[in-house]
Amino acid sequence: AAAVADVVLKDYSKEVSGLFGNMRLSASILGGSILGLGVSSAPKVEESDSRSMNLLLGITSFLNEIVAITYSSIAINKLLEVTTHKLSDSLTNCVRASLQTGLVGYERSVFFGLFGFGLLIGSKASFLYGRKIG
């Protein structure tokens, strides 16, 4: 019973808002990198060329980052629109209680965008250096 009495409930809305703001910034930086690497510096595509997949991968990865930014923005706006916030015993429980959907959507979108970014780096190296890579 003493352990239960030591729990202090607090409003973590500012901390959660800052967390989603940081996540939005990182997705924006990654999205800008994807745009530069996968779209604007994509190799020239000839008809029926496999390099057209590079452009498609770049666009898809970029759109995943846009979705991640949108999820973060929605979560921040949700926190700002509510005048009274639920009190919670930890930052994790605060996110879990009110913004779980935004967090899961963000994580999935960033994961797929980051995966696509890795593939773009590999394909760019392959197009530039061919079989010299190894």
Side-chain angles (χ1 to χ4, degrees):
V4 175
D6 292 341
V7 174
V8 176
L9 297 179
K10 181 180 168 188
D11 178 11
Y12 285 97
S13 60
K14 289 181 184 177
E15 290 86 352
V16 174
S17 181
L19 174 72
F20 276 97
N22 289 339
M23 294 186 325
R24 183 171 54 180
L25 177 65
S26 63
S28 299
I29 291 170
L30 185 57
S33 300
I34 289 170
L35 194 59
L37 182 65
V39 178
S40 63
S41 72
K44 285 188 176 183
V45 178
E46 303 297 326
E47 220 175 289
S48 71
D49 193 353
S50 65
R51 290 181 282 192
S52 63
M53 290 303 292
N54 194 57
L55 182 61
L56 182 62
L57 181 62
I59 292 169
T60 304
S61 299
F62 179 70
L63 290 177
N64 271 300
E65 296 307 314
I66 293 295
V67 170
I69 292 166
T70 304
Y71 270 116
S72 295
S73 298
I74 290 170
I76 291 170
N77 289 341
K78 240 176 131 174
L79 287 168
L80 294 175
E81 288 173 355
V82 176
T83 55
T84 58
H85 300 284
K86 294 179 184 176
L87 299 179
S88 182
D89 60 340
S90 72
L91 183 67
T92 305
N93 288 337
C94 180
V95 172
R96 191 176 293 142
S98 57
L99 300 168
Q100 185 67 29
T101 304
L103 185 62
V104 170
Y106 171 86
E107 288 172 344
R108 288 182 181 169
S109 298
V110 166
F111 173 77
F112 288 122
L114 191 58
F115 183 72
F117 184 63
L119 290 175
L120 284 170
I121 291 172
S123 67
K124 183 77 168 189
S126 175
F127 293 142
L128 288 176
Y129 301 109
R131 298 194 182 267
K132 296 177 191 174
I133 292 176

